[in-house]
Amino acid sequence: MFLALFLINMLVILFAVLIHHETLYALAKFLPRLPVSRHRVLFALIGVLLAHVAEIWLFAITYYFLNAMDGFGVLSGNFSNTLLDCAYFSFTVYTSLGFGDVVPLGDLRFLSGLESLVGLVMIAWSASFMYMEMQKNW
């Protein structure tokens, strides 16, 4: 069970990083083609936010399936076993907001800890990218 959980966690992190990398790479290639420089920052911000949302939903779907399976732990508290509740939990964990009304028990605690770390790194990466775009275009 430990090996399966480890592999699932690593795959989710890998996919989240790939989503972010490919989004930033595509934006870096696309943005210089826009004729108005102030629109470049706007499109960059929208693209970065969409990447974060996709990563959060990736974690939410993982929580949803792991919560439904035996042996991986559960989400408890103000939680009704829906995908939307998993997305809410994922948004609060990814952003390190952590309201605490939904709590992971068992092995899901490891994924939620990793998601917080991934969210911190991806948000910092996005901030760095946006800073560079603003320096170039403003």
Side-chain angles (χ1 to χ4, degrees):
M1 188 63 73
F2 173 77
L3 182 60
L5 182 67
F6 177 79
L7 290 174
I8 291 167
N9 288 344
M10 292 303 106
L11 283 173
V12 171
I13 291 169
L14 174 69
F15 283 127
V17 171
L18 283 173
I19 289 169
H20 213 78
H21 176 271
E22 292 303 313
T23 300
L24 295 183
Y25 183 76
L27 285 170
K29 293 287 185 190
F30 172 74
L31 294 174
R33 297 180 187 161
L34 294 176
V36 181
S37 64
R38 68 186 176 115
H39 292 162
R40 293 176 190 155
V41 174
L42 178 63
F43 274 90
L45 183 59
I46 291 168
V48 165
L49 288 174
L50 289 174
H52 286 295
V53 169
E55 294 155 21
I56 289 166
W57 275 98
L58 172 66
F59 279 98
I61 291 166
T62 305
Y63 288 125
Y64 182 74
F65 285 110
L66 290 180
N67 187 60
M69 297 172 72
D70 289 332
F72 289 107
V74 295
L75 296 174
S76 67
N78 188 14
F79 182 75
S80 59
N81 291 327
T82 65
L83 182 57
L84 196 56
D85 279 350
C86 290
Y88 164 77
F89 176 70
S90 184
F91 269 95
T92 61
V93 171
Y94 186 91
T95 60
S96 298
L97 185 60
F99 286 128
D101 56 339
V102 179
V103 179
L105 300 174
D107 291 339
L108 281 181
R109 294 176 299 163
F110 296 109
L111 182 59
S112 63
L114 290 169
E115 183 182 9
S116 289
L117 178 61
V118 168
L120 175 70
V121 172
M122 297 301 109
I123 291 168
W125 193 0
S126 296
S128 173
F129 179 81
M130 289 304 301
Y131 177 78
M132 289 172 32
E133 285 303 314
M134 292 174 78
Q135 287 292 315
K136 285 189 268 184
N137 296 301
W138 280 10

